[in-house]
Amino acid sequence: MSEPWALHPDRALPADPATRPVAREIYAATRDLPLVSMHGHVDVTVFSRDEPFGDPAQLLVVPDHYVTRMLVSQGETLQRLGLGDMAETDPRAIWRRFCAGWKHFRGTPTRFWLEHELVQILGVTQRPSAETADAIYDQIAARLAEPAFRPRALLDRFGIEVIATTDPAWAPLDEHAALAADGYGDRVLPTFRPDPLLRLDRPGWRDDVARLAGASGVEVTSYTTYLEALRTQRARFAAAGARATDHGHPFADTTPLEDVEARRVFDAALAGTVTAAEARAFGGHMVFQMAAMSAEDGLVLQLHHGVVRDHANGPYNAFGPDLGYDIPVVAEFTHALRPLLGAFGHHPGFRMIVFTVDEDVYSRELAPLAGVYPSLKLGAPWWFLDAPDAMRRFREATTETAGFSNLAGFVDDTRGFCSIPARHDLARRVDAGYLARLVAEHRLELDEAVEIAVDLAYRHALAAYERAGVAQ
Amino acid sequence: MSEPWALHPDRALPADPATRPVAREIYAATRDLPLVSMHGHVDVTVFSRDEPFGDPAQLLVVPDHYVTRMLVSQGETLQRLGLGDMAETDPRAIWRRFCAGWKHFRGTPTRFWLEHELVQILGVTQRPSAETADAIYDQIAARLAEPAFRPRALLDRFGIEVIATTDPAWAPLDEHAALAADGYGDRVLPTFRPDPLLRLDRPGWRDDVARLAGASGVEVTSYTTYLEALRTQRARFAAAGARATDHGHPFADTTPLEDVEARRVFDAALAGTVTAAEARAFGGHMVFQMAAMSAEDGLVLQLHHGVVRDHANGPYNAFGPDLGYDIPVVAEFTHALRPLLGAFGHHPGFRMIVFTVDEDVYSRELAPLAGVYPSLKLGAPWWFLDAPDAMRRFREATTETAGFSNLAGFVDDTRGFCSIPARHDLARRVDAGYLARLVAEHRLELDEAVEIAVDLAYRHALAAYERAGVAQ
Amino acid sequence: MSEPWALHPDRALPADPATRPVAREIYAATRDLPLVSMHGHVDVTVFSRDEPFGDPAQLLVVPDHYVTRMLVSQGETLQRLGLGDMAETDPRAIWRRFCAGWKHFRGTPTRFWLEHELVQILGVTQRPSAETADAIYDQIAARLAEPAFRPRALLDRFGIEVIATTDPAWAPLDEHAALAADGYGDRVLPTFRPDPLLRLDRPGWRDDVARLAGASGVEVTSYTTYLEALRTQRARFAAAGARATDHGHPFADTTPLEDVEARRVFDAALAGTVTAAEARAFGGHMVFQMAAMSAEDGLVLQLHHGVVRDHANGPYNAFGPDLGYDIPVVAEFTHALRPLLGAFGHHPGFRMIVFTVDEDVYSRELAPLAGVYPSLKLGAPWWFLDAPDAMRRFREATTETAGFSNLAGFVDDTRGFCSIPARHDLARRVDAGYLARLVAEHRLELDEAVEIAVDLAYRHALAAYERAGVAQ
């Protein structure tokens, strides 16, 4: 390794000498495009309060479950990485553990993203290691104190044209209102996420329903008022600029219940007597209902499923959710989406984007579905699959059946604000490489490939999240 | 894009400069081989009547569900593409819609096939677009009026040595008799497809049984006479040159029923009281029976399964089947074929070819099965998987376990007669590229690769469809 | 083909001119490393008796089910290949059949391994064919008579630092004791395999329990004494140098039973009244118990599942098991391992290595699991997947989520002693090619790639099989 640390301009482009020059040319057309970040998990307060980021460990280690899970797999503990009741309180100690474990990220997209953040955004010039940890810590800490590293300044520096947050269905949206008052109303948008409200047998479900009632002003005493409260909040979100709803269910089933059965099950949930089977059936029913509402109000329905959350009970009980213990399982869409697509798949006011962490469904189910239903777009490779080789496999598995016009474009889906430019950059490089291969194999013309690359990086990402019938 | 439109000689060959020259050399050995088309869906009357093809839209758009599904996914309707009761009647309007949507086919095999047809067969010199639609329409229409574009003339021009049609089990085969009288008896062969007869709970099943009875001259009043009628028709097909039967079932299960149970279920079907579960069990039983008959008469059993037909009820009710709404689901072969292969997998008179649209079974199930059972061959990548990257994945997933000797060679499986040369050409290019990589990686010698390429393109395709014990 | 036969130094390295030189450099760093063979099936008597290998057919054809299954798929019979009651007794006749079928191995790893064995180990200078069969036979037979071709001499020549055998749980381990007496105690290690004892409804289960009782000296009359006997034998194995246990179950389920239920089911098995469902539940329970014992004694738990053994009843009844008729089915790990990993996944004394023949679980389940649970390592691509393209797919599907530090390194898993160097060599070449691509795409530095290659080929293979708390 030669110093100083610099990133190679051709990283993540294909090596083959017949393809790389083409990839470079395609990448050059997308590299500097604005970033459209329509599906993300950065907290809205980051932008509404615009406070400096914390220390290096809080910025890059503690909240990033990609980082903590890898270090845990190698023997670190969540405590020592700053999580839980007995958490390490010295950020420098956490940062040293991260730097000492740097080698474990080799070959992962986390390594690519972190390199990008450290070098391109934070100006670090040494590779992380036990020896360099303190120097890098000091360097980053100094940067984070500068005004140029406040969130809103970074929004500009990163070239983020628009970014969506994800918000509970009962969110009062006052932070978004504050942003709008500051002129960020078209740039930071809320997303309606009702998941906890749709799972009737969750502990705490009734509390969440009470929150929904409070936010919407609709007293929820029945299935009918429950739907009304949801509809009211959807309208509030839409008025606040929301373009989409987000649904992460354990199962993709979308079979609607008879109205009388839906009422009965909902009442049982209110009475605390709902069964797991009833709750599951109601969950599928409600995805169908969400689609029906989308067909009315034009909010784009995003569906992702097929993950066992909190696989390890021990860490979950000690530290809570979202700590890297969510593990994918087999997904199924052909049967599961049939009721929903049968009802709304050709509806001019309905748009739906599907994500999965089960690659098997790409060529078998999702590409064939998206290749015929006008309402359905394929989302970008999600989560563990947001990685160079996995993104390439996604293209190879979906394009031949669904083409490019049925894809929703890139989404970054991250809590890590500073990783957003890196994630878009990596996707643009990988897409340039894939498209360059098609050009080099004379399966596309170069001008077509450039047009597609810009679509995937930018235009599709905007268009897929346009509310039907609403010009943005 | 430079004009005039010409196809690059290296298209779909690998770009890597160490591999492409080898691929060219291998492709050169297969490019001009005769076409063997043993599994197809061109209507026999195309050949028996030898009438000119219709207009450009009828030739290339309306009957091709690959084309119409992509245009529908982008907002066109089946009506506006010439389908259904309220169909567009102006072929030129349909053609314009197709040309305006040309960009949506980027990256798909449909684009490759259409380019081949337009440029190589029809002599078109402009790329399709809204602007060029009319000129191209006129050019194609003029061609189709020439005698050289009649089906039999194209059989010669395309170098089709032999082509199989797919015919219902009750087909009278008089069109094939007429072809035989014209000297085409060894060149256009029927294929026995009994699917509707094997699904006892289909609406219309009894009508189809009556058709079988009428064709075979066997009055079908029981399970025994039903088998006899099927056997009689198989013999007629074999006498008319058939080499194979074709079976597309929802499930691959092949568990035989006890004879007494088979009789009981069949009687229930005649009485209209059969249950879905009984019908499903009987379907698996009948695949086993078809294998038993194959072991007697030598017709090769082709099995493909794992597709939900007519996924969208709306379009199905309005337009009928085969309109692009067939969507794959998970397939399973290891358990499902165990009864059949246990009974006939080593039978010297039995041959079976399996197709799937679920790639997952390639390396997990199909290659291990074909790599040991002498009666089983793997069919070519089917349907959505008949595409460059998917074909490459098929080779990569099956060769290491099954080798090349257990593969059935290429089949085109199309209704589009004029797409046949393009489909074979693309498969030959992709195979040349795959084999060239093995040569360039010193995993094969060049002379071996050439021999394999010719096997896959031609010799295996003939040999896999030789009736056991019958020299062709 | 030019003569004399020589193997290309770059075989199985990538062809792309930008990648190959990097691959050569990485491969050069691992080519001559010692072989660590911690999961294998060479019979211990091969080493303890150190007798000359038999004839060429007995060495390379008859016991290798990769070879016999391919020849059977092409019409040979197991009898004619030297197996079963009516077996061919002339080894030269068997050898000729193998040589005549040489072409069927094109594209398979068997071909690579055999080439390596024939050319590099046995000095053969002609390619196998019907014409060359006799000359090659004589040449190999002469070699096998030389002292340099005895097993212990080959241990040295192959550079095998340590090799593990697989032994039934009731093994007396006297052959291993004899090896220890000869100074091979640290070099040839036993592995504890209790599978037959854990499947209560197997015919012969009680006989095997009696064997366990005999070997352990613990009279097995109950669930408690059964556990005690297993624990006793595990301790014997550990004392004899064992590092691991090996478990091949039909299902990966690891749900523990209540103690009282385990006792009840075990008693039912002793009484001969256990049901298939009870036996299956008990099997999952016992994998959990084996993990509990591993957490105590530090033996590494190896789990592989998802195979239908003896798919064809006919050959099984005539020839017995392990003849190439084992066919994979769908595997599932996320749900199945949840109980076990919940209990032991973070236990400092527990180590587990998982193998699969279902590629679908790589990116969906295994990499996400190994990427967070410190006790879990991913085993090398297994069985049908121990092949160049399949190994590359394994890397591409697992690295981005699990990195390299969560991998167990290469295992050869073979009965064929002379194929061991070839298998390691092929894996090192494929890994060099994969890593070279990451370097050429600027996703890794070259020095990192070299370090990883050495880890995968050697250091991880040792470390993954270190007993927790026991320095080797």
Side-chain angles (χ1 to χ4, degrees), chain B residues 16-19 330-335 337-338 341-342 346 358 360-361 363-365 367-377 393 395-406 434 437-438 440-445 447-449 451-452 455, chain C residues 1 5 8 10-17 20 69-70 72-75 102-104 106-109 111-112 115 127 308-315 323-331 357-360 364 384-385 387-393:
Chain B
D16 157 26
T19 309
V330 166
E332 203 284 334
F333 289 96
T334 300
H335 292 298
L337 294 185
R338 198 173 185 184
L341 290 173
H346 298 80
D358 180 0
D360 297 355
V361 299
S363 78
R364 187 179 62 220
E365 304 179 28
L369 286 167
V372 69
Y373 282 104
S375 296
L376 180 66
K377 300 276 183 240
R393 290 197 298 273
R395 293 272 169 249
E396 292 175 359
T398 61
T399 305
E400 294 180 328
T401 293
F404 295 103
S405 300
N406 290 304
Y434 168 71
R437 181 170 69 82
L438 297 194
E441 294 177 358
H442 307 288
R443 292 162 61 186
L444 277 183
E445 305 288 333
D447 62 343
E448 296 178 305
E451 188 182 322
I452 293 164
D455 280 347
Chain C
M1 299 183 197
W5 196 14
H8 198 285
D10 289 334
R11 64 196 184 283
L13 298 184
D16 157 25
R20 179 168 286 181
R69 77 193 312 273
M70 179 61 86
V72 165
S73 80
Q74 291 300 309
W102 178 249
K103 65 175 274 188
H104 301 306
R106 289 170 178 169
T108 70
R111 150 91 167 237
F112 184 96
E115 283 184 344
R127 286 181 177 76
V308 169
R309 302 280 174 177
D310 310 311
H311 191 263
N313 289 328
L323 286 168
Y325 286 92
D326 298 343
I327 309 289
V329 290
V330 166
V357 267
D358 180 0
E359 302 189 65
D360 297 355
R364 187 180 62 219
F384 297 117
L385 304 176
D389 289 342
M391 287 192 272
R392 177 179 48 74
R393 290 196 298 272

Side-chain angles (χ1 to χ4, degrees), chain C residues 214-245:
Chain C
S216 66
V218 178
E219 198 182 352
V220 177
T221 58
S222 65
Y223 173 63
T224 306
T225 46
Y226 165 76
L227 291 187
E228 188 188 334
L230 286 167
R231 205 175 269 115
T232 302
Q233 279 301 95
R234 290 176 66 107
R236 291 239 173 97
F237 272 72
R243 308 259 180 96
T245 68

Side-chain angles (χ1 to χ4, degrees), chain C residues 82-307:
Chain C
L83 290 148
D85 285 343
M86 311 278 287
E88 171 68 66
T89 54
D90 177 8
R92 193 177 287 268
I94 297 168
W95 183 256
R96 285 177 188 148
R97 285 166 196 146
F98 162 67
C99 289
W102 178 249
K103 65 175 274 188
H104 301 306
F105 296 97
R106 289 170 178 169
T108 70
T110 301
R111 150 91 167 237
F112 184 96
W113 302 330
L114 286 168
E115 283 184 344
H116 186 113
E117 292 174 68
L118 292 170
V119 176
Q120 307 240 129
I121 298 175
L122 296 163
V124 172
T125 53
Q126 294 174 294
R127 286 181 177 76
S129 68
E131 293 70 35
T132 61
D134 281 343
I136 298 174
Y137 186 94
D138 294 334
Q139 188 174 0
I140 297 174
R143 287 292 159 96
L144 296 182
E146 298 172 17
F149 284 84
R150 296 258 180 121
R152 291 186 184 178
L154 290 176
L155 269 185
D156 291 338
R157 178 170 163 203
F158 294 168
I160 294 178
E161 184 173 309
V162 58
I163 186 167
T165 61
T166 300
D167 310 271
W170 55 77
L173 299 175
D174 41 14
E175 303 277 350
H176 284 90
L179 277 161
D182 288 356
Y184 283 86
D186 294 335
R187 202 163 174 196
V188 183
L189 311 176
T191 303
F192 180 82
R193 182 152 191 174
D195 287 3
L197 296 164
L198 309 191
R199 295 181 57 191
L200 304 187
D201 59 346
R202 271 186 57 249
W205 174 75
R206 277 183 292 186
D207 296 340
D208 291 337
V209 168
R211 289 188 183 96
L212 173 70
S216 66
V218 178
E219 198 182 352
V220 177
T221 58
S222 65
Y223 173 63
T224 306
T225 46
Y226 165 76
L227 291 187
E228 188 188 334
L230 286 167
R231 205 175 269 115
T232 302
Q233 279 301 95
R234 290 176 66 107
R236 291 239 173 97
F237 272 72
R243 308 259 180 96
T245 68
D246 187 22
H247 306 269
H249 280 283
F251 309 99
D253 178 48
T254 60
T255 309
L257 301 175
E258 295 292 322
D259 219 52
V260 62
E261 173 68 358
R263 284 175 210 285
R264 191 191 66 71
V265 171
F266 189 86
D267 290 343
L270 284 180
T273 62
V274 74
T275 67
E278 287 170 341
R280 179 172 169 168
F282 190 85
H285 168 77
M286 282 307 297
V287 177
F288 187 96
Q289 293 305 316
M290 289 289 116
M293 293 187 197
S294 280
E296 290 169 14
D297 63 21
L299 290 175
V300 177
L301 190 156
Q302 299 177 97
L303 182 69
H304 48 278
H305 85 129
V307 178

Side-chain angles (χ1 to χ4, degrees), chain A residues 112-180:
Chain A
F112 184 97
W113 301 329
L114 286 168
E115 284 184 343
H116 187 113
E117 291 174 68
L118 292 170
V119 176
Q120 306 239 131
I121 298 175
L122 298 163
V124 172
T125 54
Q126 294 174 294
R127 286 180 176 76
S129 68
E131 294 69 35
T132 61
D134 280 342
I136 297 174
Y137 185 94
D138 294 335
Q139 187 173 3
I140 297 174
R143 287 291 160 95
L144 295 183
E146 299 171 17
F149 283 83
R150 296 258 179 120
R152 291 186 184 180
L154 290 175
L155 267 185
D156 290 338
R157 178 170 162 201
F158 293 169
I160 294 177
E161 183 173 310
V162 58
I163 186 167
T165 62
T166 301
D167 309 272
W170 54 77
L173 299 176
D174 41 13
E175 303 279 348
H176 284 90
L179 278 161

Side-chain angles (χ1 to χ4, degrees), chain B residues 43-254:
Chain B
D43 198 274
V44 62
T45 58
V46 168
F47 305 112
S48 59
R49 300 181 190 166
D50 197 35
E51 294 168 353
F53 287 103
D55 57 76
Q58 281 300 331
L59 181 69
L60 296 174
V61 181
V62 184
D64 185 339
H65 55 67
Y66 289 86
V67 171
T68 55
R69 79 194 309 274
M70 179 62 86
L71 296 174
V72 165
S73 81
Q74 291 300 310
E76 272 300 345
T77 64
L78 291 171
Q79 285 97 332
R80 284 165 52 90
L81 297 171
L83 289 149
D85 285 345
M86 310 278 289
E88 169 69 66
T89 54
D90 176 7
R92 192 176 288 269
I94 297 168
W95 183 255
R96 285 178 188 148
R97 284 165 197 147
F98 161 67
C99 289
W102 178 248
K103 67 174 274 189
H104 302 306
F105 296 96
R106 290 170 178 169
T108 70
T110 301
R111 150 91 168 238
F112 184 97
W113 302 329
L114 286 168
E115 284 184 343
H116 186 113
E117 291 175 69
L118 291 170
V119 176
Q120 307 239 130
I121 298 175
L122 297 163
V124 171
T125 54
Q126 293 175 296
R127 285 181 177 76
S129 69
E131 293 70 35
T132 61
D134 281 344
I136 297 175
Y137 186 94
D138 293 336
Q139 188 174 2
I140 296 174
R143 286 291 160 95
L144 296 182
E146 298 172 17
F149 284 84
R150 295 259 179 119
R152 291 187 184 178
L154 290 175
L155 267 185
D156 291 337
R157 178 170 162 201
F158 292 169
I160 294 178
E161 184 173 308
V162 57
I163 187 167
T165 61
T166 300
D167 310 271
W170 55 76
L173 299 176
D174 41 14
E175 303 278 349
H176 284 90
L179 277 161
D182 288 355
Y184 283 85
D186 294 334
R187 201 163 174 195
V188 182
L189 311 176
T191 303
F192 179 82
R193 182 152 191 173
D195 287 3
L197 296 164
L198 309 191
R199 297 181 57 189
L200 304 186
D201 59 346
R202 272 185 57 249
W205 174 74
R206 277 184 291 186
D207 295 341
D208 291 337
V209 169
R211 289 188 183 96
L212 173 70
S216 65
V218 177
E219 200 183 350
V220 177
T221 58
S222 65
Y223 174 62
T224 306
T225 46
Y226 166 76
L227 291 187
E228 188 188 333
L230 287 167
R231 206 176 269 115
T232 301
Q233 280 300 95
R234 290 175 65 106
R236 291 238 172 96
F237 272 72
R243 308 260 180 96
T245 67
D246 187 22
H247 306 269
H249 280 284
F251 309 98
D253 178 48
T254 60

